[in-house]
Structure formats: C-alpha cells, structure tokens
Amino acid sequence: MRVRSLATGDAVSRGRVVLAVSLDIANAFNTLPWSCIREALRYHRVPTYLRRVVEAYLTDRAVIYPGRQGEWIRREMSCGVPQGSVLGPLLWNIGYDWVLRTDLPSGVSVVCYADDTLVLAHGGSHQAAVDAATIGVATVVERIRQLGLEVALHKSKAMCFHGRGNAPPPGLQITAGGVHIGVGSTMKYLGLVLDSRWNFKEHIRLLAPRDSQLTIYLT
C-alpha cells in the first residue's frame, strides 16, 4: 500500500513518471553487524535493562562445524541475526531502520520490508526520473554499505510507473556502481509481479500455468 500510494495519483495521470528500483542485499540476514544493532538500540532509547539482555544474547556466539579432517572448528561470530528465531526479525528491523533515515533528494523515497529495499523516484519526464533515481540509488547503496552490508547491483531490478500513452522509451536504464540496470514494464516485488497500470495481468499470466497444474494434480 505504501508503494502504491507513492507510485500512483494525480501526478502520474498528468504525465509524470515514477521509477522504482529494487535493491538486492547480498546474504543480508547473515551479515548485519551487531554493532549496528547496539547503536540502533541506543538511538531508539531502548531501556538499559533490555539492551543488556540483547547484549547477552549477542555475546559469545559461535558456529561449530566439522573440518575436512574430521576435526571440529569453532568460528566466533560478530554479525548476523538468527533466522527462524522470534527475535531475529526484530533485531534486523532495528538495525536496518537506519536505511529508512537516509537523507534523500526531493522526490525520492525508500520503502523497506525486511531486506527488500525499494527506491522510488518521481520526475516530470522519463529522463528526469532516471536522473533522480540514479542519485537516490547511489545514496541508499552507500548508506547500506556504511551498515556493513553489500548490495548485489547485478541482481537489482527497475520498472516505470506511468500514465496511459506515456510508456518509457526503449533502452531506458539507470547506472549504479558501474552496473547498468534496465528499466522494464514489470517487476517482481514481495511475491507480486507489479506492472505500470496496477492491473496485475502479468502476475496472473505467470500464475495461471501453475494453477492449472495444481488443478490437474488435485483432480
């Protein structure tokens, strides 16, 4: 709903363009530094006794695994939030919240859901939206790297939201960290295939064959 509110409205109907860039965080949950979590707890003024509990939770953690010669190897850990735990997602959100506090240019927004990070840029034309998105993505990527995480730019996707008759020109792309990201007409986001008109035709088209197979199997 947040993405839709930013990507639709009177501005789009009047010919403006919204460019969305989905950033892929490499090995996200396993690489979030604990120092970021500690700092975030202080920033949000979490009570001292709770910070001590979390500190104890993040102390003296290690991975123990068998080596090639059958010996046991112990590796001390200083990053990562345990996936599948109750506390893991909360610790991730607390630490990664710093990305949402990025100082962005006018017309650029960032939306995060867990490690899914979406940069949206408004522009009066396709090129203006590309220029704004280029600056916005560079700013957000640098912010993420300052957290100690890495963005897999070669896996990142981009798409354009636009009004009727205002489709992006062929070959439209943005450049981030030397990587060219092509701007498509659709993009998969949080399990849905988004399209410029929000009619989900492409999502249904891709889903239909799987539903047909399931129907045959159940029959």
Side-chain angles (χ1 to χ4, degrees):
M1 294 301 293
R2 171 67 173 161
V3 172
R4 180 162 185 169
S5 68
L6 291 170
T8 58
D10 293 338
V12 172
S13 64
R14 293 197 305 267
R16 292 182 64 84
V17 173
V18 178
L19 199 65
V21 184
S22 176
L23 301 178
D24 185 276
I25 313 300
N27 201 20
F29 293 98
N30 294 327
T31 54
L32 182 68
W34 293 344
S35 58
C36 299
I37 298 174
R38 297 186 184 101
E39 178 58 34
L41 291 171
R42 286 191 290 268
Y43 174 85
H44 290 290
R45 299 181 180 179
V46 173
T48 302
Y49 79 96
L50 288 178
R51 297 208 308 264
R52 289 174 177 169
V53 171
V54 175
E55 180 66 31
Y57 180 73
L58 299 177
T59 299
D60 195 28
R61 299 187 73 93
V63 173
I64 301 175
Y65 57 95
R68 294 182 177 179
Q69 305 301 322
E71 77 284 12
W72 289 99
I73 301 174
R74 177 185 176 93
R75 181 176 176 178
E76 301 296 330
M77 304 300 296
S78 62
C79 62
V81 290
Q83 297 186 55
S85 67
V86 174
L87 192 58
L90 178 59
L91 294 179
W92 168 269
N93 288 340
I94 290 174
Y96 200 67
D97 174 73
W98 196 59
V99 175
L100 289 171
R101 292 183 268 123
T102 305
D103 187 16
L104 293 169
S106 177
V108 179
S109 305
V110 60
V111 178
C112 299
Y113 185 91
D115 62 327
D116 285 291
T117 305
L118 197 68
V119 178
L120 296 108
H122 289 246
S125 65
H126 291 97
Q127 188 57 52
V130 166
D131 294 341
T134 299
I135 297 172
V137 167
T139 303
V140 172
V141 167
E142 178 58 27
R143 185 82 161 182
I144 292 171
R145 287 174 174 167
Q146 289 175 7
L147 272 179
L149 301 170
E150 193 59 42
V151 180
L153 289 170
H154 64 285
K155 293 184 179 179
S156 298
K157 306 293 183 182
M159 71 164 293
C160 184
F161 296 100
H162 56 83
R164 191 180 301 278
N166 193 26
L172 192 67
Q173 61 183 14
I174 73 167
T175 302
V179 177
H180 301 297
I181 304 173
V183 178
S185 58
T186 63
M187 180 177 66
K188 191 171 185 178
Y189 178 65
L190 300 182
L192 290 173
V193 179
L194 302 183
D195 57 85
S196 61
R197 306 297 297 169
W198 292 90
N199 56 29
F200 299 103
K201 287 183 178 180
E202 183 64 14
H203 179 78
I204 294 172
R205 186 187 70 81
L206 294 173
L207 194 62
R210 288 189 296 174
D211 286 346
S212 298
Q213 293 175 1
L214 179 62
T215 302
I216 294 172
Y217 176 77
L218 292 175
T219 302

